[in-house]
Amino acid sequence: GAGVSQSPSNKVTEKGKDVELRCDPISGHTALYWYRQSLGQGLEFLIYFQGNSAPDKSGLPSDRFSAERTGGSVSTLTIQRTQQEDSAVYLCASSLLGADGYTFGSGTRLTVV
Amino acid sequence: QQQVKQSPQSLIVQKGGIPIINCAYENTAFDYFPWYQQFPGKGPALLIAIRPDVSEKKEGRFTISFNKSAKQFSLHIMDSQPGDSATYFCAAGFNYQLIWGAGTKLIIKP
């Protein structure tokens, strides 16, 4: 596609439920990143994919968070047993050349009630 | 050593003024220094970027000044407009990774 597509754009879930967030990167971009941005805050790195493998998952805040990427394309970020502190905007970015040339999606706003 | 320190946290400038946002880094392995602009409800978008072999880069009204010896770089916005009101993030990159500043919320008053 023309840009990075994320779905859903908004998600409200009850505490304790599992959620799945989807990222569809720019076609041909081998690098894919997930970030978390709390209201009015900076970007918190979560995980990096190169192709289908994740050489850097150091930013995942707990074992409730996991991500996968299939076919070198679509990625899914899963949060199990959601907590209120998980409420944030989850941003996905893809890149052809690593650090040079991130393109971000518009994010998924997750609200845990 | 991986930190990027960005200042100020917020900035209010009159239309036509020149807001300046500063960033400092420590790791000399960084070789790519972009600035991103983020509007509410949107993801950050690449605005302008520089590599350490040049001291200045200009694109339209946006200029990056880079001081390799001081390990500092800054964004200048000439003839600022209300439409430039946004949050600006600097970053420093190496290989696949970008290390981000905390962001500057810029407001341009009409």
Side-chain angles (χ1 to χ4, degrees):
Chain A
V4 177
S5 179
Q6 291 189 247
S7 61
S9 55
N10 281 285
K11 176 74 177 177
V12 179
T13 190
E14 292 181 353
K15 178 181 170 181
K17 300 279 190 185
D18 298 352
V19 294
E20 284 189 353
L21 313 180
R22 176 188 168 106
C23 173
D24 201 340
I26 292 173
S27 178
H29 280 195
T30 57
L32 186 146
Y33 308 80
W34 283 98
Y35 284 85
R36 180 166 71 175
Q37 186 174 34
S38 299
L39 187 63
Q41 299 300 307
L43 298 161
E44 177 187 4
F45 169 77
L46 297 178
I47 188 169
Y48 156 66
F49 285 94
Q50 181 59 245
N52 290 338
S53 64
D56 188 351
K57 50 179 83 170
S58 61
L60 294 177
S62 75
D63 59 8
R64 296 187 295 105
F65 288 72
S66 62
E68 66 175 12
R69 189 179 184 193
T70 54
S73 181
V74 172
S75 176
T76 303
L77 177 69
T78 301
I79 309 173
Q80 295 180 310
R81 305 181 301 282
T82 51
Q83 303 295 312
Q84 287 188 327
E85 62 262 29
D86 299 333
S87 296
V89 174
Y90 290 81
L91 290 163
C92 173
S94 71
S95 170
L96 184 61
L97 300 172
D100 187 344
Y102 279 28
T103 300
F104 281 89
S106 291
T108 294
R109 181 175 296 279
L110 176 66
T111 304
V112 182
V113 297
Chain B
Q1 199 178 14
Q2 286 288 83
Q3 278 189 322
V4 175
K5 294 182 180 178
Q6 183 172 347
S7 63
Q9 193 172 17
S10 62
L11 185 58
I12 301 174
V13 172
Q14 286 294 131
K15 177 185 171 183
I18 306 176
I20 300 172
I21 306 171
N22 300 296
C23 284
Y25 64 97
E26 296 173 5
N27 189 343
T28 55
F30 290 136
D31 62 1
Y32 176 69
F33 301 90
W35 286 90
Y36 280 75
Q37 180 188 53
Q38 185 178 29
F39 293 107
K42 300 292 185 184
L46 179 63
L47 188 62
I48 186 173
I50 198 168
R51 296 216 178 257
D53 53 343
V54 297
S55 60
E56 185 176 281
K57 183 174 181 181
K58 187 176 293 188
E59 286 186 3
R61 296 183 294 107
F62 300 92
T63 299
I64 298 180
S65 296
F66 185 79
N67 186 329
K68 189 174 181 178
S69 61
K71 292 186 280 188
Q72 295 175 348
F73 58 110
S74 60
L75 176 71
H76 300 229
I77 306 175
M78 309 301 288
D79 187 27
S80 57
Q81 302 295 314
D84 297 329
S85 298
T87 299
Y88 292 81
F89 292 95
C90 66
F94 173 72
N95 197 6
Y96 70 90
Q97 183 67 288
L98 280 179
I99 306 299
W100 296 84
T104 296
K105 185 170 183 178
L106 174 65
I107 296 173
I108 307 297
K109 293 187 120 178

